């Protein structure tokens, strides 16, 4: 993401907040109390590279709001990370966690680095260095990081170990998304994509009585897109199109998500899958005449420009912010249901919460139980937003995004009022 894009992300985040504050009838003071993060830590991370040089990296941890509990949110390693992006994403975590009824505030971390060009040793040094910079400000009851873009269970393990070395406290609950042997869950891998599929299924039930036989197009075939495709296929939907950064494929009879995945793993892209009827572009995929569209790749792919050509009746945001605020308003007024990112992609952090609870009670929750709890919560929060949307707002005038953000912001404001902060 370029600097202008990350600036835009922050402005969009502020715009969404302002709209929710206005819908709820709160004052400008409330908006100002919610807008700024409570703390932003900037860390300088010198790493001795394999060639002997010392390279300096820069990273941040933004702690946006702690009214509902310790800050919670992932850490991303990406060459285009900026402080503004991290702040915007930490604000989104506040709403996502509040909406999912988790006992957490919102936080986010990031390091400006391309992790793919680092050796394993360099990556470990960087991960430990980042933890050295933030360890005084985090902890199982303070701020609990997790994986995000380009960070992995291994990176979480190094960070947890560094925390132990620095504090002498071997606390598994200081970080989530860990390897299974260190208190993590295998279910974590499927969590976000599975959550997207469950949110799609519940919305489809409300709209058509079920997801069975409904056609689906998915943009992006990474972890989220693939598992959303796999589970929707298992739920009886017909996945007619998928894509990745190199393009997409279409088959009116439906694609087999696992076969497509195998081709992508082997050749690098879904476009090499031979049993598809035709190849399509990413733009064409978005405009297909399907029931359900899942943008699970990057932000701002559905804008004012292409919104008039979108034919899907249900859009489920698997990525962060794929539908711009203007397109959201336009499509919602046309009757398109858009399940917003903070709801649709909550599966990851819901799974993190289950892991954190399990770590604190000494390891008691099975994978089956974790998966069941994850599904139950995704169903419950999707229905809660739907209910709030229909009982407190006006669908057609207000979008499902308005409902989700209003519900989340209301919870945070009420928590702040109870604490005497507002
Ligand atoms: N990075 C994920 C998210 O943005 C998960 C965060 C977490 O588990 O704390 O939702």
């Amino acid at each position: 993401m370029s600097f202008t894009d990350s600036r835009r992300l922050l402005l969009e985040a502020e715009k969404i907040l302002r709209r929710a504050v206005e819908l709820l009838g709160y004052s400008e003071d409330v908006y100002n109390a919610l807008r700024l993060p409570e703390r932003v830590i900037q860390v300088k991370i010198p790493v001795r590279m394999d060639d002997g040089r010392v390279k300096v990296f820069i990273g941040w941890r933004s702690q946006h709001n702690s009214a509902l509990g310790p800050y919670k949110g992932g850490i991303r390693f990406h060459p285009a990370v900026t402080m503004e992006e991290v702040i915007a994403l930490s604000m989104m975590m506040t709403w996502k966690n509040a909406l999912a009824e988790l006992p957490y505030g919102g936080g986010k971390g990031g390091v400006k680095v391309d992790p793919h060009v680092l050796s394993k040793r360099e990556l470990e040094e960087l991960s430990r260095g980042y933890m050295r910079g933030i360890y005084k400000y985090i902890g199982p009851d303070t701020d609990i990081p997790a994986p995000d873009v380009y960070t992995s269970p291994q990176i979480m393990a190094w960070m947890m170990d560094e925390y132990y070395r620095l504090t002498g406290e071997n606390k598994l609950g200081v970080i989530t998304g860990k390897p299974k042997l260190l208190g993590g869950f295998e279910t974590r891998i499927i969590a976000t994509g599975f959550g997207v599929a469950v949110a799609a299924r519940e919305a489809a039930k409300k709209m058509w009585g079920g997801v069975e036989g409904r056609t689906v197009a998915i943009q992006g075939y990474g972890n989220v897109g693939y598992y959303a495709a796999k589970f929707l296929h298992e739920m009886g939907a017909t996945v007619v199109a998928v894509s990745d950064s190199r393009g997409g494929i279409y088959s009116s009879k439906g694609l087999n998500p696992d076969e497509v995945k195998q081709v992508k793993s082997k050749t690098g892209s879904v476009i090499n899958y031979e049993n598809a009827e035709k190849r399509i572009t990413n733009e064409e995929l978005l405009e297909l005449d399907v029931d359900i569209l899942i943008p699970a790749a990057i932000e701002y792919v559905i804008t004012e420009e292409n919104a008039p050509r979108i034919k899907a009746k249900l859009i489920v945001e698997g990525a962060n912010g794929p539908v711009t605020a203007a397109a959201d308003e336009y499509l919602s007024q046309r009757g398109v249901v858009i399940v917003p990112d903070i709801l649709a992609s909550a599966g990851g952090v819901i799974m993190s919460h289950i892991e954190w609870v399990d770590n604190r009670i000494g390891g008691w929750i099975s994978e089956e139980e974790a998966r069941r709890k994850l599904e139950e919560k995704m169903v419950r929060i999707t229905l809660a937003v739907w209910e709030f949307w229909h009982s407190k707002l006006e669908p057609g005038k207000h979008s499902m995004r308005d409902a989700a953000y209003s519900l989340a912001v209301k919870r945070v404001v009420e928590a702040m009022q109870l604490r005497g902060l507002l």
Side-chain angles (χ1 to χ4, degrees):
M1 198 183 292
S2 70
F3 178 74
T4 13
D5 279 348
S6 60
R7 174 97 208 117
R8 179 170 172 194
L9 193 69
L10 187 54
L11 291 174
E12 289 264 336
E14 289 173 356
K15 224 193 282 174
I16 297 173
L17 170 62
R18 182 172 285 283
R19 203 173 146 88
V21 165
E22 279 167 9
L23 271 176
L24 292 162
Y26 292 135
S27 67
E28 182 72 12
D29 292 347
V30 171
Y31 170 76
N32 285 326
L34 294 171
R35 190 175 65 90
L36 293 176
E38 289 170 7
R39 180 191 282 132
V40 183
I41 304 145
Q42 178 168 305
V43 295
K44 173 179 157 185
I45 316 161
V47 174
R48 167 101 36 211
M49 305 301 278
D50 291 347
D51 63 7
R53 285 165 51 228
V54 172
K55 208 168 161 187
V56 173
F57 295 90
I58 182 164
W60 299 272
R61 180 80 185 164
S62 170
Q63 302 180 324
H64 177 259
N65 189 289
S66 56
L68 285 166
Y71 309 103
K72 179 95 192 80
I75 299 166
R76 58 177 56 183
F77 282 3
H78 193 279
V81 167
T82 65
M83 185 173 74
E84 283 175 310
E85 177 188 347
V86 174
I87 293 173
L89 293 168
S90 71
M91 188 183 334
M92 283 182 69
M93 286 310 300
T94 297
W95 316 135
K96 191 188 279 195
N97 294 339
L99 188 65
E101 297 167 13
L102 302 176
Y104 294 141
K108 196 76 159 201
V111 177
K112 185 171 164 53
V113 59
D114 180 359
H116 302 111
V117 302
L118 298 187
S119 69
K120 193 171 177 196
R121 192 199 58 79
E122 290 166 346
L123 191 60
E124 177 173 349
E125 285 257 314
L126 180 74
S127 306
R128 290 184 183 276
Y130 178 73
M131 180 52 87
R132 278 196 297 280
I134 65 164
Y135 83 96
K136 285 189 185 140
Y137 305 94
I138 70 160
D141 293 309
T142 322
D143 182 358
I144 309 121
D148 199 81
V149 177
Y150 297 154
T151 47
S152 60
Q154 173 63 76
I155 290 174
M156 298 305 113
W158 287 325
M159 288 187 180
M160 181 181 78
D161 185 69
E162 190 65 21
Y163 182 84
Y164 174 33
R165 292 187 193 202
L166 293 163
T167 63
E169 305 201 41
N170 202 353
K171 288 180 173 162
L172 299 182
V174 70
I175 207 158
T176 57
K178 301 179 295 293
K180 187 167 173 66
L181 199 58
L182 296 178
F185 281 79
E186 275 159 7
T187 311
R188 171 80 201 196
I189 298 157
I190 65 157
T192 310
F194 177 63
V196 168
V198 172
R201 182 189 69 198
E202 294 310 305
K205 272 190 201 161
K206 290 284 183 192
M207 294 169 71
W208 306 299
V211 80
E212 295 80 4
R214 294 286 151 185
T215 51
V216 185
I218 301 181
Q219 184 186 52
Y221 218 59
N223 204 41
V224 180
Y226 162 59
Y227 282 111
K230 180 182 168 67
F231 289 109
L232 279 165
H233 176 75
E234 281 177 17
M235 290 167 186
T238 310
V239 180
V240 294
V242 300
S243 70
D244 55 35
S245 57
R246 288 172 57 192
I249 49 174
Y250 175 86
S251 195
S252 58
K253 294 183 298 296
L255 299 158
N256 179 316
D258 283 322
E259 281 176 26
V260 176
K261 173 72 181 168
Q262 276 169 21
V263 171
K264 182 171 166 71
S265 305
K266 243 184 257 153
T267 68
S269 174
V270 299
I271 57 172
N272 300 314
Y273 181 68
E274 276 163 10
N275 295 333
E277 266 164 41
K278 59 177 180 187
R279 283 193 188 175
I280 53 174
T281 64
N282 265 296
E283 292 71 36
E284 285 164 347
L285 180 138
L286 296 172
E287 295 171 18
L288 285 173
D289 190 3
V290 288
D291 296 313
I292 306 170
L293 174 63
I294 304 185
I298 50 170
E299 61 281 347
Y300 314 137
V301 291
I302 301 174
T303 63
E304 266 170 302
E305 196 277 314
N306 63 356
R309 299 191 299 278
I310 301 288
K311 297 175 198 71
K313 289 146 220 89
L314 170 61
I315 299 175
V316 185
E317 292 189 326
N320 268 332
V323 181
T324 63
D328 185 70
E329 203 176 328
Y330 169 84
L331 288 166
S332 299
Q333 282 169 6
R334 235 181 56 191
V336 178
V337 172
I338 303 172
V339 182
D341 45 11
I342 56 162
L343 170 57
S345 70
V349 72
I350 291 172
M351 195 53 225
S352 273
H353 175 238
I354 297 166
E355 178 178 337
W356 177 81
V357 170
D358 188 56
N359 294 157
R360 302 181 69 133
I361 59 174
W364 210 250
I365 303 173
S366 67
E367 294 283 350
E368 296 69 36
E369 210 180 336
R371 164 109 171 234
R372 190 168 46 72
K373 284 184 188 302
L374 167 63
E375 180 166 5
E376 272 171 18
K377 179 145 268 187
M378 280 307 302
V379 171
R380 197 167 69 239
I381 65 172
T382 308
L383 297 183
V385 173
W386 192 276
E387 163 63 26
F388 186 87
W389 188 26
H390 285 77
S391 65
K392 300 277 190 297
L393 302 176
E394 282 176 60
K397 186 165 166 223
H398 303 120
S399 64
M400 193 171 179
R401 184 184 320 272
D402 287 333
Y405 276 86
S406 301
L407 198 53
V409 169
K410 188 166 177 286
R411 284 204 184 117
V412 175
V413 168
E414 284 172 7
M416 288 174 80
Q417 283 168 340
L418 286 169
R419 284 177 184 263
L421 302 172
L422 270 177

